[in-house]
Amino acid sequence: MVFVAAVLIVQMVLWMREHGRTLKKKLESGLAEKAASSNWWGVTVLAALAIAREGSEAVVFLYGSLTTADSASLPGIALAGVAGLALAFFTFYLLQLGGKILSWRLFFRITEVMLLLLGAALFLTGVEKLMSMSLLPTLIDPLWDSSALLDDMSPFGGVVASLTGYRAHPALMSVLAYAGFWLGVWVLFQWRARRTGA
């Protein structure tokens, strides 16, 4: 599930890069056309499809995240969910100020980076699960120790580790997998840019 969640995140970022510029205009023109013809079923289906797509991605992502959590961290995850919802409303409020503080372009760039970091973290979690089941070798474990700089077992370090894939004591296989994820994302971005002529 964590690999599926990572793939969905990367796919969503690639899709948004390709369609993000024209998405708002297409949605508004489609809604205006359906409203003008009083085709409210079309509007309902459009809204249902959008909600189903985002909802299914959220379910896969949350399931992937919860499979890596133990029961002691569930209250923290619930609190993080509430904080995330509050942050989403606050971000929406800033965007509604008309770009005075936060523009849509900047918002999508920041979101892109955060989603890709999260995808990398989920991918790395999956690789570490495979290593713990002895399906992948660790090669060198640990490769380094950066816990004096930032311990991934501390509260703040745990958040950074969950959101970015940071490890204070990574195995060589973890580092290679993390680098491989970013190389794969770069190759996909280059391929998509050539295909779309962007």
Side-chain angles (χ1 to χ4, degrees):
M1 288 304 288
V2 291
F3 287 127
V4 170
V7 167
L8 278 174
I9 286 172
V10 172
Q11 184 272 334
M12 184 173 63
V13 169
L14 287 169
W15 187 88
M16 284 302 297
R17 276 194 154 222
E18 186 173 340
H19 301 284
R21 293 183 201 128
T22 59
L23 185 61
K24 184 180 177 188
K25 191 182 293 181
K26 284 181 183 175
L27 281 173
E28 286 175 349
S29 65
L31 285 172
E33 182 183 309
K34 298 294 182 192
S37 63
S38 296
N39 186 355
W40 296 110
W41 282 111
V43 174
T44 304
V45 169
L46 180 65
L49 287 173
I51 291 168
R53 176 187 160 82
E54 297 306 317
S56 61
E57 286 177 354
V59 167
V60 170
F61 160 70
L62 288 173
Y63 186 81
S65 297
L66 289 173
T67 56
T68 63
D70 54 14
S71 58
S73 63
L74 290 179
I77 290 173
L79 183 62
V82 171
L85 188 61
L87 187 58
F89 280 121
F90 180 67
T91 305
F92 179 74
Y93 169 74
L94 290 179
L95 288 166
Q96 293 309 306
L97 293 177
K100 295 172 189 168
I101 298 173
L102 182 63
S103 70
W104 281 102
R105 178 182 285 276
L106 178 61
F107 169 74
F108 279 118
R109 286 292 171 245
I110 292 170
T111 304
E112 234 177 56
V113 171
M114 290 176 64
L115 283 171
L116 288 174
L117 284 169
L118 188 59
L122 288 170
F123 181 78
L124 185 58
T125 298
V127 168
E128 289 171 343
K129 289 276 187 190
L130 293 176
M131 288 191 305
S132 70
M133 295 186 296
S134 301
L135 295 173
L136 280 177
T138 58
L139 301 178
I140 301 171
D141 189 20
L143 187 60
W144 68 68
D145 180 1
S146 58
S147 57
L149 182 65
L150 179 62
D151 187 1
D152 58 358
M153 300 306 285
S154 69
F156 178 71
V159 170
V160 172
S162 297
L163 294 178
T164 66
Y166 168 76
R167 301 294 185 263
H169 310 94
L172 177 57
M173 180 58 77
S174 298
V175 173
L176 292 174
Y178 197 77
F181 174 87
W182 287 106
L183 178 63
V185 167
W186 181 81
V187 167
L188 280 171
F189 275 31
Q190 296 303 310
W191 171 77
R192 184 64 69 96
R194 279 196 300 272
R195 193 171 73 87
T196 58

